[in-house]
Amino acid sequence: MMKVVVIGLGSISEMHIKSYIQNEQVELYGLCDQNESRAQEKATHYNVKHVFTDPEEVFNHPEVDGVSICTWNRTHADLAIRALRAGKHVLVEKPISMTVQEAEKVQEAVKETGKTLQVGYVRRFGTNAQVLKTFIDDGKLGDIYYAKASLLRRLGNPGGWFADKERSGGGPIIDLGVHIIDSCWYLMGRPKVKSITGHVYDQLGNRSNVKNLSFYKTADYDASLNTVEDLANALITFENGSSLMVDVSYSLHTKKDQLGMQIFGTKGGAELEPELLLVMEENDTILNVEPQIDHRSFDFDNAFQKQIDAFVEACITGGPSPAPVEDGLEIMKILEGIYQASAQKKPVEL
Ligand SMILES: NC(=O)c1ccc[n+]([C@@H]2O[C@H](COP(=O)([O-])OP(=O)(O)OC[C@H]3O[C@@H](n4cnc5c(N)ncnc54)[C@H](O)[C@@H]3O)[C@@H](O)[C@H]2O)c1
């Protein structure tokens, strides 16, 4: 049995906790949050024996084999490095860090310790992404040379730490962009980044003024605190000549929220979201093919369980993680590059 502690007991921790409980190779050994009453409450609710308020106590505990880090982005790299150095395996929520420099330090710690580190790129584990990957790996789309990813919220700045650049590192690019950029990059075959053109806008703010339309707010929502961008777009070019176009927003004057991801190859194309669809050409005829699977859109619960199971498997067998530290670093280069390109008003060459 692998003994695991979940650190940071906010909204996403629920998914980690439930998935570890479902995994027969894991004992959910403890829960940790700097907010003691939250930690006690969750431990009682899920019948977990050990409660911690300081991650250091978790890292020093000889019985703990691994941790999930579900805290604010600012703490990810530091906690991951300390956990690794204490001999623990780590599943760290996305993004791996707030900067490339921090991500490189995490990578060094992984190399030094030989422990497993997996980044929380849960969208890789969606049935739609996994089915599409089998078609791509089989060459059915040919060479992939273009992808497009868009996640636009019209009224969706959650506030709290998400809106505080000090704790989050940024707005929709670092929070939402990380997922959709990773999904496309992963399906494109993880090409090396060459250059990035990016624009970051802060035109609408958090739109806390909007009335009669509800939206998700964090527990510590503060309408007056908002230091993150509300829209970003980017064109990412890779060394193999392929490119990825992205846009993401928390606030935008758009008719409705939108999520779309498309991949284009020399033999065929695909829509990953809003629903998996393959575009083929056979007998000089274009075919739009709907795979008959349970979840053509991202199936969060199922994907989360698969993500946790894959992490546990990698820790127990010592095999490779399906979302290793290198991928955390490469995506961080893209995220940081978008902010840099926007600030310097010209493309960033990597
Ligand atoms: N994979 C996904 O789809 C997904 C979805 C939501 C959030 N996330 C990521 O999960 C992380 C947490 O997000 P959330 O929405 O659950 O946030 P949250 O604010 O709901 O919870 C964070 C918790 O971490 C605790 N915490 C912060 N720093 C700590 C520290 N140093 N030691 C102990 N506890 C600490 C806070 O007290 C809080 O309870 C973020 O990095 C976010 O990007 C991922």
Side-chain angles (χ1 to χ4, degrees):
M1 294 293 265
M2 177 177 165
K3 292 186 176 145
V4 174
V5 175
V6 175
I7 303 175
L9 302 174
S11 53
I12 202 63
S13 71
E14 292 282 325
M15 297 303 302
H16 288 252
I17 292 169
K18 286 180 193 160
S19 304
Y20 282 126
I21 289 172
Q22 289 299 319
N23 186 304
E24 289 181 352
Q25 292 176 289
V26 167
E27 177 189 338
L28 183 57
Y29 187 79
L31 298 177
C32 172
D33 200 291
Q34 60 194 16
N35 180 331
E36 189 172 0
S37 60
R38 185 173 295 173
Q40 288 290 1
E41 201 180 296
K42 287 238 164 145
T44 307
H45 182 77
Y46 287 104
N47 198 17
V48 178
K49 278 193 211 125
H50 301 90
V51 172
F52 304 87
T53 52
D54 180 356
E56 198 58 32
E57 295 167 43
V58 179
F59 304 151
N60 289 332
H61 203 300
E63 286 201 53
V64 177
D65 301 306
V67 294
S68 263
I69 298 176
C70 307
T71 51
W72 305 317
N73 300 349
R74 182 178 62 195
T75 62
H76 287 184
D78 173 57
L79 292 177
I81 292 167
R82 282 159 55 199
L84 290 163
R85 296 233 159 96
K88 314 300 180 201
H89 302 295
V90 174
L91 173 55
V92 59
E93 264 302 342
K94 55 75 195 170
I96 189 170
S97 59
M98 296 212 312
T99 64
V100 170
Q101 202 185 19
E102 284 176 344
E104 283 169 345
K105 288 191 178 142
V106 178
Q107 188 177 40
E108 276 167 33
V110 172
K111 281 190 183 150
E112 268 169 42
T113 61
K115 291 283 153 188
T116 298
L117 181 133
Q118 185 166 314
V119 186
Y121 294 145
V122 66
R123 282 186 170 268
R124 291 186 182 193
F125 298 89
T127 309
N128 57 353
Q130 294 200 328
V131 169
L132 176 54
K133 187 149 190 321
T134 65
F135 281 84
I136 291 173
D137 290 350
D138 265 6
K140 296 284 196 299
L141 270 57
D143 293 331
I144 292 165
Y145 57 92
Y146 182 47
K148 234 176 131 171
S150 183
L151 204 172
L152 300 176
R153 290 183 186 163
R154 62 176 179 175
L155 181 65
N157 182 331
W161 73 267
F162 287 95
D164 176 9
K165 200 172 165 82
E166 283 243 321
R167 281 179 290 168
S168 61
I173 262 292
I174 214 158
D175 181 38
L176 312 175
V178 62
H179 274 310
I180 61 173
I181 291 171
D182 176 68
S183 293
C184 290
W185 177 74
Y186 174 66
L187 291 168
M188 292 171 89
R190 302 158 76 241
K192 272 251 165 282
V193 185
K194 184 166 174 267
S195 70
I196 299 168
T197 305
H199 303 92
V200 169
Y201 298 93
D202 180 6
Q203 296 290 340
L204 306 186
N206 61 5
R207 302 184 83 200
S208 53
N209 59 304
V210 170
K211 296 196 174 81
N212 305 317
L213 189 60
S214 51
F215 61 101
Y216 171 73
K217 294 177 182 151
T218 52
D220 60 337
Y221 188 85
D222 171 0
S224 67
L225 173 65
N226 185 46
T227 50
V228 297
E229 79 276 4
D230 48 51
L231 167 73
N233 62 33
L235 177 64
I236 303 147
T237 309
F238 300 100
E239 281 180 5
N240 64 4
S242 61
S243 53
L244 164 62
M245 209 153 82
V246 187
D247 56 11
V248 281
S249 70
Y250 273 170
S251 307
L252 189 67
H253 289 305
T254 175
K255 187 175 140 194
K256 55 176 184 159
D257 292 354
Q258 299 167 43
L259 168 62
M261 282 188 256
Q262 293 162 273
I263 311 272
F264 304 98
T266 50
K267 290 192 187 160
E271 287 196 353
L272 178 64
E273 296 285 351
E275 283 188 321
L276 184 60
L277 180 92
L278 302 171
V279 181
M280 307 293 198
E281 202 176 299
E282 295 217 1
N283 300 348
D284 298 328
T285 306
I286 293 174
L287 307 174
N288 286 356
V289 182
E290 278 187 17
Q292 301 299 295
I293 56 176
D294 282 340
H295 307 283
R296 285 179 55 217
S297 302
F298 179 57
D299 44 336
F300 196 61
D301 293 1
N302 180 42
F304 224 97
Q305 186 67 53
K306 284 197 245 166
Q307 169 181 245
I308 294 284
D309 292 349
F311 170 62
V312 171
E313 190 67 19
C315 296
I316 290 176
T317 62
S321 159
V325 66
E326 293 74 28
D327 294 6
L329 173 59
E330 204 62 17
I331 297 296
M332 205 57 231
K333 285 183 190 165
I334 297 177
L335 304 176
E336 195 175 274
I338 295 170
Y339 287 119
Q340 262 175 19
S342 179
Q344 68 187 36
K345 295 189 171 52
K346 60 175 191 190
V348 168
E349 300 291 330
L350 294 178

